[in-house]
Amino acid sequence: MTRATRAAVGIALIGLAVAGCGNSSDQRAATTTAAPKAAAPSSDTIGLCGGVSDAEVAEATGSTGAQRVSANPIGCAWQPATGGDYAVTFHWFRGSSLQDRRDQVTTGSPATVRIAGQPGIEWRGAQSCEVAVTFGDTDFIDWSERSSARACQGVEQLAAATLTQAGQT
């Protein structure tokens, strides 16, 4: 037998041995896969400033003169055109517990809410409101307004828009 023939026979025997090691139930088990996990929210998922435009902030809050004065991937702020304190803020708390936030806000008593189908907490003051809503498995988003009697309606609308834009509803 030539060297090439012996190599071919050896390869064939190895192939037969490997093929004989399994049975049909092993093959079925090998083709079964786990369900894919939902993708964790990312800066691409949520978009800058909660994925809402300055015009949407103005419409939701009635702050037609509000101007964006800071923006980064996890937070934004708008203030009145005349200056002063921030009128509207957005923050994305990554890897933070929504329940930990419950005791950190001092504007009014916390109330449990649902925004766009997601659990959240809302705090109401005389002329302010803050709402924090679950975002993904380990994050939450937080919208607040400190200049209007209708503040809660506006921040609820903005939080819903953020969740919808990010596919979290």
Side-chain angles (χ1 to χ4, degrees):
M1 215 186 250
T2 69
R3 180 182 247 181
T5 304
R6 282 189 300 232
V9 169
I11 291 172
L13 289 173
I14 291 171
L16 287 173
V18 169
C21 288
N23 62 34
S24 61
S25 65
D26 289 341
Q27 289 173 340
R28 272 183 277 140
T31 59
T32 303
T33 59
K37 287 187 173 186
S42 70
S43 56
D44 294 336
T45 305
I46 200 165
L48 186 65
C49 297
V52 299
S53 68
D54 294 349
E56 289 172 294
V57 170
E59 180 183 329
T61 63
S63 304
T64 55
Q67 299 174 353
R68 188 180 338 177
V69 293
S70 74
N72 65 57
I74 59 170
C76 293
W78 295 259
Q79 71 182 28
T82 57
D85 291 335
Y86 294 131
V88 179
T89 60
F90 164 78
H91 291 97
W92 177 12
F93 290 86
R94 301 191 69 185
S96 298
S97 165
L98 179 62
Q99 290 309 312
D100 289 345
R101 186 72 173 152
R102 180 176 289 278
D103 298 326
Q104 294 172 348
V105 177
T106 59
T107 302
S109 297
T112 301
V113 296
R114 288 195 81 74
I115 306 290
Q118 300 297 323
I121 304 169
E122 184 172 273
W123 300 264
R124 292 177 182 256
Q127 295 233 324
S128 65
C129 187
E130 183 169 343
V131 63
V133 184
T134 298
F135 186 78
D137 293 334
T138 61
D139 300 351
F140 69 90
I141 59 169
D142 188 284
W143 278 96
S144 66
E145 182 182 357
R146 289 171 173 69
S147 62
S148 165
R150 64 176 236 175
C152 285
Q153 179 184 3
V155 295
E156 288 174 3
Q157 184 177 338
L158 292 167
T162 297
L163 293 168
T164 299
Q165 185 274 337
Q168 297 289 306
T169 59

